[in-house]
Amino acid sequence: MIALELQEVEVDYCTDCGGIWLDAGELELLLGNAQNAKQLLHSFKIDSHSTEKTRKCPICLKKMQKIIVGSSTPTLPLDKCPRGDGLWFDKGELQDILNRAKLDKDNKIQKLLADMFRK
Ligand SMILES: [Zn+2]
C-alpha cells in the first residue's frame, strides 16, 4: 500500500489490486458537505446476506462488514471495519461512490481519480 494525497486527505492505495483504504471520517472529507453527499453517507446499511467474500480490516485484522450504499441499482457494496477503523473500496468503487454523490464535474477528487486509474 502506498499513501496518496487526495485534496489534503491521505488515503492508502494498493498498487496490486487498485483498492483504496479510507480511515474513518476520510470519506466525509472527500465528499464534502453537499446535500447529495450527506444523503449518501446516511444511506449505509449493513448487508448481512451478502455472498461476496469478506475482507479483513488492514488495521485490526477483523473481518469487515458488507455495507450497501444508496438505494439505486445496482447497489454499491463496500467493506467496513466492525470497529469503525475505516472503509475499503475495491478498484473503481471510490469513483462509483463519488459519482453517486453527484459531485459537480469539476470536482478535483474526481479528476485525480480519473487520472490515477486511466490506463
Ligand atoms: Zn479495523
Side-chain angles (χ1 to χ4, degrees):
M1 300 251 262
I2 56 168
L4 285 180
E5 209 177 284
L6 291 181
Q7 205 156 306
E8 291 167 30
V9 179
E10 199 182 278
V11 305
D12 296 297
Y13 170 63
C14 175
T15 49
D16 286 333
C17 69
I20 289 177
W21 168 260
L22 294 184
D23 289 327
E26 289 182 338
L27 180 62
E28 287 83 342
L29 288 175
L30 286 177
L31 288 173
N33 272 321
Q35 194 57 37
N36 289 327
K38 282 189 187 160
Q39 277 176 9
L40 199 66
L41 289 167
H42 286 129
S43 73
F44 283 23
K45 276 195 295 276
I46 293 174
D47 178 6
S48 44
H49 306 292
S50 174
T51 52
E52 252 193 57
K53 224 177 99 197
T54 49
R55 293 178 175 276
K56 283 186 182 157
C57 171
I59 295 179
C60 68
L61 303 179
K62 287 198 163 73
K63 269 192 180 176
M64 294 202 277
Q65 296 169 321
K66 292 287 170 189
I67 298 290
I68 300 171
V69 180
S71 47
S72 50
T73 44
T75 53
L76 174 61
L78 291 181
D79 298 276
K80 181 178 180 286
C81 166
R83 282 200 328 175
D85 291 325
L87 295 163
W88 176 263
F89 297 82
D90 288 328
K91 188 174 187 175
E93 287 179 348
L94 185 57
Q95 281 158 297
D96 195 340
I97 197 170
L98 292 170
N99 287 336
R100 285 165 197 248
K102 298 189 179 72
L103 301 176
D104 75 69
K105 287 215 171 65
D106 296 326
N107 188 280
K108 281 187 209 152
I109 301 154
Q110 293 273 50
K111 279 190 179 160
L112 277 168
L113 286 174
D115 287 345
M116 247 171 77
F117 293 108
R118 195 163 48 206
K119 289 249 161 84

